[in-house]
Amino acid sequence: MVDKSVIGRAEPPYELDVERGKIREFARAVQSRNPAYLDDPVPVITPTFLTSSQHWAPPGTSLVASVGLNLSRVLHGGQEYIFHGPPPRAGAHLSTTTRIEDVYEKQGQRGGTMTFVITLQEFRDDAGRLVAESRTTVIET
């Protein structure tokens, strides 16, 4: 039985600086040739760049691990990004927080129960305005 008491649990907030070189590295990693990411002196982030924010998270703060899932049985079930205006550019300083938005179970088609954990990560600028959100679904099979 899934423990609904974890809904609302949050990671400690952390900061990240959007760096030109990191935008370029990420664009190359996703095989983009778009000059807006590669050549612009103040490039905009690629739509999925915010995924790399996990590299700035303090060690040992994984919400998914804290739920008690068997990480060897976890699959990435989906990712969604919502931007509340133009995507950030190089030089932006963002703060981010992540919380568990939902946890539920479903019967698998091959038997067994699957546990779904949905997290919501918010990215805010220096003025505290919501710049973007990332919703992630992980599935324990």
Side-chain angles (χ1 to χ4, degrees), residues 9-141:
R9 183 182 292 174
E11 289 180 346
Y14 60 91
E15 312 287 314
L16 65 133
D17 293 311
V18 180
E19 303 170 29
R20 179 179 184 222
K22 294 300 178 186
I23 294 171
R24 181 178 290 164
E25 289 172 8
F26 193 88
R28 287 184 176 152
V30 297
Q31 300 180 356
S32 174
R33 291 193 168 100
N34 187 331
Y37 311 134
L38 300 170
D39 301 332
D40 192 310
V42 187
V44 64
I45 64 168
T46 64
T48 58
F49 177 83
L50 295 175
T51 299
S52 67
S53 70
Q54 295 302 312
H55 294 289
W56 283 274
T61 59
S62 170
L63 278 176
V64 173
S66 76
V67 173
L69 300 180
N70 178 347
L71 297 181
S72 68
R73 301 190 58 82
V74 168
L75 304 172
H76 185 271
Q79 192 81 34
E80 173 187 10
Y81 298 92
I82 300 169
F83 291 92
H84 301 279
R89 293 188 163 273
H93 178 83
L94 302 174
S95 62
T96 181
T97 56
T98 304
R99 66 179 168 78
I100 296 175
E101 188 174 64
D102 199 6
V103 178
Y104 60 93
E105 292 179 334
K106 286 172 87 174
Q107 267 312 111
Q109 291 183 356
R110 296 185 219 163
T113 303
M114 300 183 303
T115 302
F116 291 71
V117 178
I118 300 172
T119 61
L120 177 65
Q121 186 175 16
E122 295 181 337
F123 297 87
R124 296 185 180 273
D125 64 14
D126 286 332
R129 289 183 297 259
L130 185 61
V131 173
E133 296 172 280
S134 173
R135 186 168 280 106
T136 305
T137 302
V138 296
I139 306 166
E140 180 188 47
T141 58

